Amino acid sequence: AAVSRHRPRAVADARWTMVEQIARQRRTGDLTSSVGRLFDAAASLLGVCHETSFEGEAAMALEALASRSVAAGYSLRLHDGTPFTIDASPIIHGILADIDSGRDRSEIAAAFHESVSDLAVLGCEQMRAATGRTTVVLAGGVFMNKRVCERAERRLGSAGFRVLLPRLFPCNDGGLALGQLHVAACALSEEPCV
């Protein structure tokens, strides 16, 4: 019932039926390594983008909506492990509660962005605790989002991290591929990966 209450009008019946089925099953094993899917969900719930014609479209619309607002982030949940996992349900529940309360959509979008920045910091702190590493490279499509990148960079710096940003290679998947190649090269040469 809670899911049905938040159905965006622009989403077709058949698609919404699938969303309701997934919500009823309350599956916890559906994992993705893409924060972009979280942006897609938030953008759809806020009515700014239900279908995309290019990667990052929903995230761009959400960033534009949040551009002038300031808000604290939603509560977060990380699960230990290698790799650790992020439970996005507190963010989604926070968005839904704010929609129900009539909170301005731009403030909700701002709170969402703060949450993503907070996730980056919490994840890096967890990795630092496990590895002792204090240098972080902010790469991946999520860091093409200026708001998320600037806030994460500032917060990580305040938390004692050395933060590196891509300058000679793309921040999105091309930059991730470069990092993956570096890790693979280290593994093949049996050298420590630094």
Side-chain angles (χ1 to χ4, degrees), residues 138-145 149 165-166 169-176:
L138 298 183
V142 70
F143 294 109
M144 292 182 74
N145 182 302
C149 187
L165 297 170
F169 54 90
C171 184
N172 58 15
D173 289 349
L176 285 177

Side-chain angles (χ1 to χ4, degrees), residues 12-189:
D13 289 345
R15 288 189 180 197
W16 194 253
T17 299
M18 288 188 296
V19 170
E20 289 178 317
Q21 288 171 349
I22 291 168
R24 274 194 298 275
Q25 292 172 7
R26 296 178 185 231
R27 294 185 296 197
T28 57
D30 297 334
L31 301 176
T32 180
S33 62
S34 175
V35 177
R37 302 304 65 86
L38 188 55
F39 275 88
D40 293 345
S44 183
L45 288 171
L46 291 173
V48 296
C49 186
H50 301 298
E51 291 187 31
T52 61
S53 55
F54 60 89
E55 184 67 28
E57 182 178 4
M60 290 169 59
L62 201 57
E63 183 179 17
L65 179 62
S67 66
R68 294 192 178 115
S69 292
V70 177
Y74 296 108
S75 64
L76 304 172
R77 193 177 312 142
L78 270 68
H79 298 290
D80 292 335
T82 305
F84 66 88
T85 56
I86 297 165
D87 180 353
S89 62
I91 297 171
I92 298 299
H93 288 294
I95 290 171
L96 295 175
D98 280 349
I99 290 170
D100 285 346
S101 73
R103 187 177 187 188
D104 186 87
R105 290 180 327 133
S106 66
E107 290 178 14
I108 299 171
F112 172 80
H113 281 78
E114 294 304 312
S115 299
V116 174
S117 299
D118 291 344
L119 282 171
V121 175
L122 286 173
C124 289
E125 287 174 338
Q126 189 160 339
M127 293 302 297
R128 176 173 57 189
T131 67
R133 304 223 185 234
T134 58
T135 299
V136 176
V137 178
L138 298 183
V142 70
F143 294 109
M144 292 182 74
N145 182 302
K146 183 178 180 184
R147 185 179 184 117
V148 170
C149 187
E150 287 177 352
R151 283 164 170 70
E153 180 182 18
R154 184 177 65 248
R155 291 176 185 164
L156 286 164
S158 295
F161 287 92
R162 177 176 169 233
V163 181
L164 305 177
L165 297 170
R167 300 271 188 248
L168 301 176
F169 54 90
C171 184
N172 58 15
D173 289 349
L176 285 177
L178 181 62
Q180 291 167 337
L181 286 170
H182 175 70
V183 170
C186 291
L188 289 173
S189 69

